[in-house]
Amino acid sequence: MKAPLAALALAALLTATACGGGEAPAAQGPQPLRMSIWTSNEAHLKLFKDIAAEYRKSHPQTGEITFDPIPFENYTTTLTTQIAGGNAPDLAWILENSAPDFVGSGALVPLRGRIENAGELVPAATRLWERDGELYAYPFSTSPFGVFVNTDLVKEAGQKTPRDLIKAGQWDWEHAGEIGKAVAAKGKNGLTILNFDYKAWDNLATVWQGWGAKAWSDDGGTCQFNAPEMVEAMTFLHKSIFTDKAMPGPGSAVDFFSGDTAMAVAQISRAAMLEDATFTWDLVPLPAGPKGEYAVIGQAGIGVLKKSPRAEQAADFLAYFTNAANSAKLAAYFPPARSSLLTAATMARTSPMLNGDQLQEVVIDGIEKGVVKPSHTGQAELAQTARAALDPLWKPGADVKTVLDGVCAKIQPLLGG
């Protein structure tokens, strides 16, 4: 298969970071560490800083450990720019859509021998981060998507709540659309897909998977945006946005956590933002689609960059950050990859904001049966190309099939043409 130019360029960039690490003279005194992350949530940052402070108590050779938030929408671009500019972090969160490039480039330090009880890591959670039997990033967050629900808005619109629909065996995209349409008629927002914003199209996998649709074939070589299943799923989305008004349209300012939106598709780490919520809320699985029930997972791994002059020190901190005890703490926001922690009882202790049903239905069941969001080598160019080709879809009256044919025409050469 012919590698896309962008994939080669990124691979070359990342491979360059594998050279030269540790060649500089050893620095004197406690050495700082920096980890790039995408969250700026205060609860997340406090937990990270608390773990880092405990580590430093027994590791005086380590100086300040900083966590550097980068906005999610520009995360990978900013991270690779930092690497290219000689300002690479010591450790970095790596999103699932760029895993093939980072893992395949040789830019990351091997980790399997350093991770505590690595044998208990769930195989489905480590698959993206492995090559030739070695683990190159720790899958610290294997987080299924669910639907956060403002039950107050749903009831005010005269609708059954998703929880009631689950009990009746009716929680599907058709009924979710009806709720969104009714809420919108009352002047509020119906359903939103967080972080999509008509740009991050891969988040739409949380919808199209219900139709059995895929962005490309399992081997990554053939575009499937214009397959019948995807056309049906995108037609549903287009109608929900522009005809039923069940979903806010392009340019809308939407904030579920302020109470102006009935439902939001998001991962459980967002529950922390509901600690001071002024409305009653719930978390339920994704609605069933024509192909039945399903789950979609977003992942992030933490890797150590070989370019770091403190790579050895960074790997040691990562081993501590992700050991069994700290994984249990992190599980409050980031579902763990350790099988010993994936029980309803354990998750209930670490995630007190979520009840047993929410944890079992969304988190534990989701990890067991979930499909990871699409990823591919050369993801950066693929993402930009697909985004531009999808832009005509986000207008009233768009011809869905024609637009999706255009997407495949643009991205097929990048998949292996």
Side-chain angles (χ1 to χ4, degrees):
M1 181 182 295
K2 181 181 177 182
L5 178 60
L8 292 172
L10 181 55
L13 167 63
L14 294 175
T15 301
T17 72
C19 305
E23 294 177 355
Q28 301 299 310
Q31 295 301 298
L33 292 175
R34 177 167 64 94
M35 182 190 296
S36 292
I37 59 178
W38 63 257
T39 182
S40 58
N41 179 274
E42 291 183 3
H44 299 169
L45 291 173
K46 181 180 185 303
L47 176 56
F48 299 162
K49 291 175 181 178
D50 287 347
I51 293 174
E54 286 298 315
Y55 177 80
R56 291 182 63 197
K57 287 179 181 179
S58 56
H59 295 77
Q61 74 277 19
T62 300
E64 183 180 7
I65 301 175
T66 58
F67 300 92
D68 182 18
I70 298 173
F72 180 86
E73 58 270 19
N74 299 314
Y75 182 81
T76 299
T77 300
T78 302
L79 175 60
T80 53
T81 299
Q82 289 181 352
I83 295 171
N87 185 35
D90 303 292
L91 308 95
W93 288 13
I94 300 168
L95 303 180
E96 73 284 303
N97 57 16
S98 58
D101 285 321
F102 275 88
V103 173
S105 68
L108 302 175
V109 172
L111 296 174
R112 187 174 297 281
R114 301 172 180 268
I115 299 300
E116 180 180 282
N117 297 331
E120 73 164 350
L121 298 179
V122 178
T126 60
R127 190 170 295 120
L128 270 181
W129 314 103
E130 293 175 318
R131 187 181 65 170
D132 299 330
E134 182 55 82
L135 183 69
Y136 288 93
Y138 181 91
F140 88 106
S141 180
T142 300
S143 187
F145 286 83
V147 180
F148 285 94
V149 182
N150 182 328
T151 55
D152 294 341
L153 287 184
V154 174
K155 290 179 179 178
E156 288 170 8
Q159 298 293 300
K160 290 182 179 180
T161 66
R163 181 67 56 187
D164 290 335
L165 291 170
I166 289 173
K167 293 176 181 177
Q170 297 177 324
W171 178 231
D172 53 32
W173 278 109
E174 180 182 353
H175 285 85
E178 290 175 0
I179 292 173
K181 183 177 180 179
V183 171
K186 293 286 187 178
K188 297 290 186 178
N189 295 305
L191 181 143
T192 187
I193 300 172
L194 265 62
N195 295 326
F196 165 46
D197 194 29
Y198 296 89
K199 299 173 185 176
W201 55 265
D202 56 337
N203 280 340
L204 295 181
T206 56
V207 179
W208 76 50
Q209 193 66 37
W211 276 255
K214 299 177 182 178
W216 40 74
S217 56
D218 291 339
D219 64 5
T222 304
C223 177
Q224 293 192 346
F225 266 96
N226 58 355
E229 297 85 355
M230 184 68 83
V231 174
E232 291 178 13
M234 290 297 200
T235 298
F236 167 81
L237 279 166
H238 192 274
K239 181 176 180 292
S240 296
I241 297 164
F242 297 104
T243 303
D244 298 338
K245 311 297 183 182
M247 297 176 64
S252 302
V254 181
D255 180 15
F256 173 83
F257 303 98
S258 68
D260 70 355
T261 305
M263 297 175 289
V265 174
Q267 293 164 286
I268 72 161
S269 57
R270 299 302 183 106
M273 300 176 69
L274 291 165
E275 187 172 2
D276 298 318
T278 58
F279 54 88
T280 306
W281 63 273
D282 195 2
L283 174 64
V284 298
L286 294 171
K291 296 293 185 181
E293 295 181 356
Y294 67 101
V296 175
I297 294 172
Q299 269 199 321
I302 303 177
V304 175
L305 292 168
K306 284 185 180 179
K307 184 68 172 179
S308 167
R310 296 172 289 275
E312 182 70 23
Q313 184 180 353
D316 187 73
F317 172 64
L318 177 56
Y320 179 84
F321 189 79
T322 60
N323 67 24
N326 286 324
S327 289
K329 297 175 184 176
L330 292 166
Y333 308 110
F334 307 101
R338 295 183 177 275
S339 57
S340 61
L341 298 177
L342 286 176
T343 67
T346 300
M347 293 295 292
R349 290 195 298 271
T350 58
S351 301
M353 291 188 66
L354 302 177
N355 63 39
D357 288 342
Q358 294 166 340
L359 289 167
Q360 184 66 51
E361 295 168 352
V362 179
V363 183
I364 298 173
D365 291 349
I367 290 174
E368 289 179 354
K369 64 184 179 183
V371 176
V372 180
K373 288 168 53 183
S375 63
H376 200 286
T377 54
Q379 184 77 15
E381 185 173 4
L382 267 172
Q384 292 173 358
T385 303
R387 173 185 168 183
L390 282 167
D391 277 347
L393 184 61
W394 312 128
K395 300 175 182 178
D399 186 315
V400 176
K401 179 63 164 61
T402 298
V403 172
L404 297 181
D405 283 339
V407 175
C408 279
K410 291 292 186 181
I411 73 169
Q412 184 58 51
L414 304 179
L415 295 177

